[in-house]
Amino acid sequence: AAQSMKMRLLNSAHAIARLTLAAVREWPSRPIDTLVTILGFATVAGILAAVLAMAGGYRHVFDSAAQSRTIIVLSEGSNSEWSSSIPASAVGPLMQAPGVARKKGTPLIAESLLGHIKVRYRRRNLSAKIVLRGVSPQMLSMDRHLHIEKGRWFRPGLNEIVVGAAAAGDFRGLSIGEHVQAQGTRWTVVGEFSAGAQFFSSEAWTSLGSLQGAEHARGVSSLYVQLASPRAFSAFRRALAGNTQTPLHALRQSTYFARQASGMSTLITRVGGFFTLLMGAAAVFGAMSTLLIMVESRRMEVAMLRALGYPHGIVFTATLLEGVLLGCAGGVLGALAVYASLNGYSASTLSIGGHMAVSNHTPQVFFHFRVGEATMFKAVVWSLAMGLIGGVYPALRAARMPIAAALRDG
């Protein structure tokens, strides 16, 4: 009985392979139908890969900025630096808080104040805003990725700014020696800095005192604190909770940046996913139509197999497998096209109406598309699923084909 079962399975597999191979060999005889179907799958897979690459690239900008020993302190109730306001009187007590790292006896606590600069694109007639960040000297020694690429750092007390490499490359008026108007003050660009892949490269920086003077502010937006070790976070947070006069809360840098990235990343994924579903439905119907035509062209062969005693399942499986192969071909083509054309492509956050925006949750950020193996795999799997769905009805139609009528027509 076991041997008989094994033979039946081998014969079934052989029949499925024979039908599927015959179907694939017919593709060149129907080039337009086959090509349109494969290109439909490729387009949908490409859109999905592009959406995932865009969202992944945006998240990577924030992920790469997070350091395990760095935390961000905000005012209680605020969820971003833009909505946070910390009075100057609250900074002093934190200098003695447990767990804070020191460099030559100085606590590594950097104060940060946010503003913005209105700029225009170099290649497009669009206005934009980039972050203008006022920082205390400790900020420049806390991040190993920070370094000057051109010119020099700003001098404290003067209206000088340094511009991130990403911002300098995309906007006019930010070259060394040029002047910009921001926060009611005229600033001179004295350098260009890089922060690697981090979103800081999308900003302009100046000294904390200079920006406080321009904004007539005494407090700061946030504090960047470097801990002696990642495990010191709990002790520091307990000390922060003990300060009842000025309620503050601390977040690990990785947690804070993940929250900042989630809004835009989710928006990209949802909007892109909606269009992917719409186009995916069209691709499924296209594949269904192509497979129905191909099934009709093989009526005689299908009828012969059925007359020889092969069950409905063989015909059904072979037709379904053809749909999967069409989906696979399209998915691989779409994923490779996106990898070749978009991997590493430079982009930036864009708000409704074509204007760049600095908001509470989506600051102006430059990022690069990241088309990795996981992204390409998901695109191919999605295309395979579309081929599978598109093949169900033609497969049922082929399996239920009347034997006598098919032989007579053949």
Side-chain angles (χ1 to χ4, degrees):
Q3 186 68 21
S4 177
M5 176 66 71
K6 183 178 180 181
M7 287 302 297
R8 282 200 298 271
L9 288 175
L10 287 174
N11 289 336
S12 297
H14 178 74
I16 291 171
R18 177 185 170 186
L19 269 178
T20 305
L21 185 60
V24 173
R25 284 174 176 170
E26 275 191 26
W27 290 1
S29 65
R30 298 182 180 277
I32 295 179
D33 292 332
T34 304
L35 188 61
V36 168
T37 302
I38 291 176
L39 288 179
F41 286 137
T43 300
V44 178
I47 291 174
L48 177 62
V51 168
L52 294 176
M54 186 187 302
Y58 183 79
R59 286 194 303 268
H60 177 71
V61 169
F62 288 87
D63 292 342
S64 63
Q67 300 183 65
S68 60
R69 292 198 299 141
T70 303
I71 62 175
I72 297 177
V73 178
L74 305 173
S75 57
E76 190 64 44
S78 59
N79 58 7
S80 77
E81 293 179 89
W82 288 98
S83 58
S84 174
S85 179
I86 300 175
S89 59
V91 179
L94 295 182
M95 297 295 180
Q96 304 303 321
V100 178
R102 294 176 178 273
K103 186 174 183 179
K104 296 181 180 180
T106 303
L108 291 179
I109 298 180
E111 301 161 84
S112 174
L113 178 66
L114 299 187
H116 66 265
I117 302 175
K118 292 182 179 180
V119 291
R120 298 192 73 83
Y121 270 101
R122 288 184 183 275
R123 301 176 184 86
R124 291 173 287 174
N125 189 29
L126 292 176
S127 60
K129 292 180 182 179
I130 63 171
V131 174
L132 174 59
R133 184 184 296 270
V135 297
S136 59
Q138 289 82 357
M139 190 72 166
L140 304 183
S141 60
M142 287 172 58
D143 193 329
R144 65 181 183 277
H145 297 292
L146 286 172
H147 65 274
I148 279 287
E149 289 194 339
K150 299 177 183 177
R152 58 173 174 82
W153 285 109
F154 51 80
R155 288 177 291 191
L158 300 179
N159 296 332
E160 297 178 341
I161 62 173
V162 293
V163 180
D170 260 42
F171 297 115
R172 308 173 194 166
L174 297 180
S175 300
I176 295 176
E178 293 189 292
H179 303 280
V180 295
Q181 196 75 19
Q183 313 301 132
T185 303
R186 188 169 183 262
W187 305 85
T188 302
V189 181
V190 297
E192 181 180 315
F193 75 96
S194 174
Q198 302 178 26
F199 70 90
F200 289 139
S201 292
S202 303
E203 301 179 348
W205 284 17
T206 186
S207 68
L208 177 65
S210 298
L211 189 56
Q212 284 178 323
E215 294 186 356
H216 305 290
R218 293 185 178 181
V220 296
S221 303
S222 59
L223 301 174
Y224 284 73
V225 181
Q226 191 166 97
L227 301 176
S229 73
R231 291 176 294 181
F233 178 65
S234 298
F236 180 86
R237 190 165 56 177
R238 284 194 298 270
L240 205 63
N243 181 8
T244 56
Q245 292 184 345
T246 308
L248 304 172
H249 73 284
L251 295 169
R252 292 188 185 275
Q253 202 175 38
S254 56
T255 303
Y256 175 74
F257 288 155
R259 290 181 182 177
Q260 296 304 296
S262 63
M264 179 63 72
S265 178
T266 301
L267 176 65
I268 292 170
T269 305
R270 287 180 178 175
V271 173
F274 174 73
F275 286 107
T276 301
L277 284 174
L278 288 181
M279 297 194 68
V284 165
F285 281 108
M288 192 181 300
S289 175
T290 299
L291 287 171
L292 284 172
I293 294 172
M294 292 180 174
V295 165
E296 287 299 316
S297 70
R298 295 194 298 273
R299 287 170 62 89
M300 183 63 178
E301 186 171 1
V302 170
M304 287 293 293
L305 287 173
R306 295 282 293 110
L308 290 172
Y310 285 97
H312 297 278
I314 288 177
V315 178
F316 177 85
T317 304
T319 307
L320 205 60
L321 186 57
E322 183 182 0
V324 170
L325 289 175
L326 286 168
C328 181
V332 171
L333 179 62
L336 289 176
V338 170
Y339 179 82
S341 59
L342 289 182
N343 190 38
Y345 178 78
S346 178
S348 57
T349 51
L350 186 63
S351 67
I352 297 174
H355 288 74
M356 309 305 295
V358 173
S359 72
N360 289 354
H361 305 288
T362 55
Q364 166 64 38
V365 173
F366 291 88
F367 60 96
H368 296 275
F369 282 64
R370 291 174 61 85
V371 188
E373 294 176 359
T375 296
M376 297 176 71
F377 178 75
K378 289 176 183 178
V380 173
V381 169
W382 177 254
S383 189
L384 286 173
M386 289 190 296
L388 184 66
I389 295 170
V392 170
Y393 178 69
L396 287 172
R397 183 83 174 266
R400 294 172 179 173
M401 185 181 296
I403 299 174
L407 290 173
R408 184 176 61 253
D409 294 343

